Amino acid sequence: MDGVPGGLCFFRLEGDRIETLDFNDASAELVGLTREEFLRRYGDDLVAPIVPEDRWIAEAAMDELRAGAKQMEGTVRIMRADGDERWCSLSASVMHRSDDALYVVAALMDVTKDKEKDLQFKAQAERQSQLFDAVPCGIVRYTMGDEPRIASANQEACRILSCTYEELLALTKDDVFAPLTPEGGEQLRDIVRRLKDGSGPLPFLCQIVRPNREPGWIEGVSALTATVDGQAIVQSAFNDVTDARRERHERELARFTSVLCNVFDEVFEIDLERDRYLLKHSTHQAAESARPVPIEEALERWFAHIPLEGDRERVGGIVRGFREKLPDNPVVCTYSFEVGGRRLWYESTFLR
């Protein structure tokens, strides 16, 4: 018993009664008493040195042993004779079980330093978490190994990506860049490679695809940082710039359309992100009254005026092909067209 570095107590459980059988000097020293003082004060109540708020832990352990468990563990606070609180690791094991009693040995170890350090880490992590969620931008942290994993993400990041943290973990379990388009994912992978090679913080602007398939744009900076335990990770801080991109796109498209209107009879937009066709200008009808329609619906209306099957296949093939790959150069297509009982020839130019 005296060779054990911590406290060691032997006791007998019979019903609700706890009878102290023996204990070593270290048990008394844990509470700042001599062996005689400890026996006089706590000989009939080994739970008494435990602070009232933690006694349920020891009582629950005793109940588990009575119910058939062989061993129980827990961490409790004890009150020393001088009024100082200490954290103790408690491990109780059954030595012998009879019909009416249990014979138990309990090992006690002072873990105050480790517990205080753990509490400091938790408090620091809590403060960081509060700051993390207070920052008015999305922040995602992920590991740098061969298979990167999400380490943390704040509430704003989840809001921008339109998912909960649990949904984000599920979405990125196989690919940390799953919320990004393929081009965006490759951009971030290149940034990670450059950060590993010693680069400082790097900016990015890329497209995301939310779980509901709604597209968006994020702009931010990626940099290396470290966790509280020193692990190097990548931190990407970003903002949702979807509306700004869309407004800029609309302004650019309006300027572009005004130029095209002087050259072409009709100008229409095929929006692959939102799967819609929208008439922007026409010399035959008021474009202001046009409404966006799904691309396939627009093709069906278009095909109704294209009499030749070969022409329909060529026009449909071009438009549907854009979903797989956008052309770097203009694509021109000439085809027969019927409108108002007249047979005409149309030439359409598709510009990225």
Side-chain angles (χ1 to χ4, degrees), residues 24 26 70 81 96 119 127-128 133 139 142 144 167 214 219 249 262 274 278 290 317 321 325-326 344:
N24 63 357
K70 294 182 179 179
H96 175 70
L119 291 174
R127 289 194 296 270
Q128 286 184 347
D133 284 326
I139 300 177
Y142 46 94
M144 296 176 57
E167 290 170 340
E214 179 187 354
E219 183 175 30
H249 168 72
N262 296 322
R274 287 175 280 186
L278 178 63
K325 186 179 187 303
L326 288 173
L344 307 171

Side-chain angles (χ1 to χ4, degrees), residues 12 41 60 69 94 144 172 222 231 248 285 306 324:
R12 182 175 184 266
R41 185 178 297 190
V94 175
M144 296 176 57
T172 60
S222 290
Q231 180 187 11
R248 186 170 67 183
Q285 57 181 307
I306 301 178
E324 302 296 327

